[in-house]
């Protein structure tokens, strides 16, 4: 008796539910650990601008959204990981300026801060003053105001400040090596200065009978050598680091992943085809990204305030009230992850479709060569074998997992889940 009874009713729905539940669990884990496995590319300028819009005020958010829809974003920045790293390093330099001792160490720190300010200043000028994306002259400003895309100089500065905090992985290898290297150089500078002082001390000690300066110089050598050894060890660790990247917290991990899936969907050939014109009309992915970034930023702010209040609370009743408020925010986080999963699943479906389209295109190109191949294969006696191979390749492309009907069903469901999770 044949065991093939055809598709079981509801089996596809059950498989979809199981796959979605698996993705929900995986993304909860990634966000909880603030770690994204695999390659972690930079976000596009458009995704970074939408995320910045989500973290801005209402008026600026509306203008940035209109500009992005019209294709008027910001000048290409590209390296948001480097921009984030520079902004954090400059803040660290400015924070430690008053506490750090003077001398060679302070001189090196000030030099490093000046380099960072110049580099960030060049990017700020491109964002705030570029005539490519901002209207020049009175006529250009009037045109932008009519179209609702005008940004004042203060707003452009604010946009740059928001872009400096675009979600990006923590610089594990490069940042650590740079930090150890700079500290090692500082130690060597201090050691050289100590040696110079020791030489002067020895000359003075010949008259006074003192030799304490030599001991100070000798003590500087082991510290500098240990620092250099740690710097070299950091380089070895960076080379053997496991794939993946750490983020600053779970909120930035979530927003980064959403921006990454947004980029994948936006660049998809299948998503931009006529087959998904109706789906593109049903959901505004750009608006969803802006709103997710906005909700994540608000939730992050509330969680920070609750944590600060909890550390300052003294009584058990106050702690209980704070914990109750924290538990009330948990469903909000769960809904944010549900919305992220919808982005993920749509990007996954588009990836399968794009792979199928590429396979079909390759099969069509192979079949278009039939006339040329027939003559060559006929002379070699293997014409039928090659023709069968080409025919089988076409059948595999037509019946593969990338089939558009299945992907449409998945996308339709995720659009419904996305809008439901937002409470609309």
């Amino acid at each position: 008796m044949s065991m093939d009874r055809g598709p079981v009713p509801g089996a596809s729905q059950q498989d979809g539910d199981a796959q979605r539940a698996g993705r929900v669990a995986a993304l909860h884990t990634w966000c909880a650990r603030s770690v994204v496995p695999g390659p972690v590319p930079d976000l596009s300028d458009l995704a970074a601008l939408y995320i910045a819009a989500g973290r801005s005020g209402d008026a600026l958010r509306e203008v940035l959204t209109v500009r992005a829809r019209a294709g008027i974003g910001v000048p290409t920045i590209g390296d948001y990981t480097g921009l984030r790293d520079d902004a954090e390093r400059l803040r660290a330099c400015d924070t430690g300026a008053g506490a750090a001792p003077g001398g060679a160490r302070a001189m090196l720190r000030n030099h490093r801060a000046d380099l960072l300010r110049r580099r960030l200043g060049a990017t700020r000028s491109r964002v705030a003053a570029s005539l490519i994306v901002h209207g020049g002259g009175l006529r250009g400003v009037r045109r932008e105001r009519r179209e609702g895309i005008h940004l004042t100089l203060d707003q452009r500065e604010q946009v740059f400040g928001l872009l400096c905090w675009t979600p990006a992985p923590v610089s594990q290898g490069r940042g650590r090596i740079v930090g150890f290297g700079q500290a090692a150089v500082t130690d060597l500078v201090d050691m050289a200065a100590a040696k110079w002082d020791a030489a002067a001390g020895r000359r003075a000690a010949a008259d006074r009978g003192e030799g304490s300066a030599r001991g100070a110089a000798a003590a500087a050598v082991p510290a500098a050598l240990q620092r250099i050894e740690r710097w070299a060890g950091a380089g070895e660790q960076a080379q053997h680091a496991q794939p993946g990247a750490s983020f600053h917290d779970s909120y930035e991990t979530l927003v980064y992943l959403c921006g990454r899936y947004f980029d994948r969907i936006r660049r998809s050939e299948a998503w931009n085809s006529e087959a998904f014109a109706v789906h593109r009309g049903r959901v505004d992915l750009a608006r969803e990204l802006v709103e997710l970034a906005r909700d994540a930023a608000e939730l992050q702010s509330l969680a920070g305030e609750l944590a600060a209040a909890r550390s300052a609370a003294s009584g058990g009743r106050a702690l209980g009230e704070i914990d109750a408020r924290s538990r009330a925010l948990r469903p909000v986080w769960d809904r944010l992850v549900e919305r992220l999963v919808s982005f993920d699943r749509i990007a996954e479906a588009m990836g399968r479709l794009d792979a199928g389209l590429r396979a079909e295109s390759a099969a069509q190109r192979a079949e278009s060569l039939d006339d040329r191949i027939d003559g060559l294969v006929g002379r070699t006696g293997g014409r039928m074998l090659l023709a069968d191979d080409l025919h089988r390749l076409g059948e595999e492309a037509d019946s593969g997992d990338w089939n558009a009907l299945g992907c449409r069903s998945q996308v339709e469901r995720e659009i419904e889940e996305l809008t439901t999770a937002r409470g609309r």
Side-chain angles (χ1 to χ4, degrees), residues 372-389:
R372 294 172 57 189
I373 291 173
D374 284 349
L376 177 61
V377 174
R379 291 194 298 273
T380 62
R383 181 181 181 281
M384 293 304 297
L385 179 62
L386 184 57
D388 288 343
D389 288 342

Side-chain angles (χ1 to χ4, degrees), residues 52 160 244 301 325 338 340 355 362 371:
F160 173 74
S301 176
R325 292 189 179 97
E338 290 286 342
L340 175 63
D371 292 340

Side-chain angles (χ1 to χ4, degrees), residues 349 352-353 356 396-404 406-407:
R352 290 203 311 271
L353 275 176
E396 290 175 354
D398 289 336
S399 62
D401 292 337
W402 63 276
N403 184 272
C407 288

Side-chain angles (χ1 to χ4, degrees), residues 302-303 305-331:
L302 287 172
E305 292 179 14
L306 285 173
R310 196 179 198 286
S311 63
S314 57
R317 181 178 178 181
L319 289 175
E321 292 178 354
I322 293 171
D323 290 341
R325 292 189 179 97
S326 298
R327 287 193 297 271
L329 290 177
R330 182 66 193 182

Side-chain angles (χ1 to χ4, degrees), residues 28 40 113 288 293 349-350 407:
H28 266 297
V40 184
E288 296 292 343
M350 293 303 104
C407 288

Side-chain angles (χ1 to χ4, degrees), residues 135-150:
L138 185 59
R139 181 178 298 178
V141 171
R142 286 177 176 173
R143 176 184 58 78
E144 287 188 342
R145 285 176 174 166
R146 285 197 307 269
E147 297 174 358
I149 60 174
H150 178 67

